[in-house]
Amino acid sequence: MSQLATEHGAINLGQGFPGFPIDPELSDAVSKAMRDGHNQYAPMPGVLSLRQRLSEKMHTLYGVEWNPQTEITITAGATQALFTAITALIHPGDEVILFAPAYDCYAPAVQLNGGIPVWIELSAPDYHIPWDEVEARITPRTRMILTNSPHNPAATVLNREDLLRLEALTRYTSIIVLSDEVYEHIVFDGARHESVFRYPELAARSLAVFSFGKTFHATGWKMGYIVGPEEYMTEFRKVHQYTVFSCNTPVQVALAEYLQTPSHYTEIHSFYQKKRDLFLSHLAGSRFNWKPASGTYFQLLDYSPISQENDVVLAQEWTLRYGIASIPASVFYPTSRDQHVLRFCFAKEDELLVQAAEILRSI
Ligand code: PMP
């Protein structure tokens, strides 16, 4: 869709990347780290000062104690963290419960490692996890449940009841929870992010992945981290050592310094909430149906009052015809489940969001 948008000069609200610069304080910190000579290999698990800052941050936010030496590893983005975790922990024949729609890298990683994806569908417009179905689909071969909150593409968040149910369902099992929390700081309307780390029994069986790219508008840096109990992290690092070994040193040094100011990440939700509200206020009076995003920087719009066309066809057609690119939500389902929903990324400059909403309102 991004290629199509570029070719046709369309406004690109398709691919999820911020359309504004990073904080100059952060780019200055990277330049300084380079000038100060931090240009050689970092230690395999990451620069220690960064892991220490992350440990402190998680203690403050979620009340959990993670040992920076043994339970936190810096990765080349969340995607690598997810792939490496799945490779380290999934063996041929293991079942992995996945929820559809899902971010696209989960299932291929499971399959490449001989695992069996067990799909559970979340349906528009609420995308709630049907926990009774989860319970029914757990078997002695279930090795992992992969959750994502805030959720891409549904823009929903799991609540306390969801986490308690997950905790209860996995109690007395050997199931590992792999929790994708890359949008942990982008939760709206006063809700708090329900990390698996807030729940001690869940924390003891979970690995959670995070991404600096989402939090600091720097998706192109491909920098993230994974956190969890030492017994899992030891296995994770065995694979990490021979695939990535270690990640970009000056960026890690800069992030360690930048994280010393918590407002750099604790205020990001209001920045994005304003953008969501701006986008939706300019859509008022349009023919779409929607539920305001509860988290992430994506907004789903249901176009069924406008057209009954397939979402993939329609997304392409609107890119050419109206100059606005989006992502059809069906591509996030293993079986292309079209529910007449498109995903729009609102991590863009205000002017562009208003322009995009005006176009959508006229359709
Ligand atoms: N998980 C989700 C839910 C995402 O939306 C993304 C990025 N689009 C990632 C993981 C990957 O993050 P990274 O760019 O740090 O690899």
Side-chain angles (χ1 to χ4, degrees), residues 101 310-312 327-341:
N310 168 273
D311 64 354
V312 174
I327 301 284
S330 67
V331 303
F332 296 97
Y333 287 85
T335 49
S336 297
R337 179 131 151 55
D338 177 22
Q339 296 173 91
H340 298 338
V341 172

Side-chain angles (χ1 to χ4, degrees), residues 98-107 119-120 122 146 148 151-154 329 331-334:
L98 300 174
F99 300 98
Y103 181 59
D104 55 5
C105 76
Y106 308 154
W119 286 103
I120 294 181
L122 316 178
L146 206 162
N148 170 215
H151 190 278
N152 175 18
V331 303
F332 296 97
Y333 287 85

Side-chain angles (χ1 to χ4, degrees), residues 77-79 82 103 106 148 152 180 182-183 211 214 222-223:
T79 310
L82 289 158
Y103 181 59
Y106 308 154
N148 170 215
N152 175 18
D180 180 344
V182 298
Y183 299 101
S211 173
K214 309 295 175 187
K222 292 303 292 183
M223 288 292 288

Side-chain angles (χ1 to χ4, degrees), residues 263-276:
S263 60
H264 285 148
Y265 51 86
T266 53
E267 280 160 27
I268 184 105
H269 64 95
S270 55
F271 171 80
Y272 278 120
Q273 188 169 323
K274 280 189 201 118
K275 291 201 175 285
R276 178 201 67 177

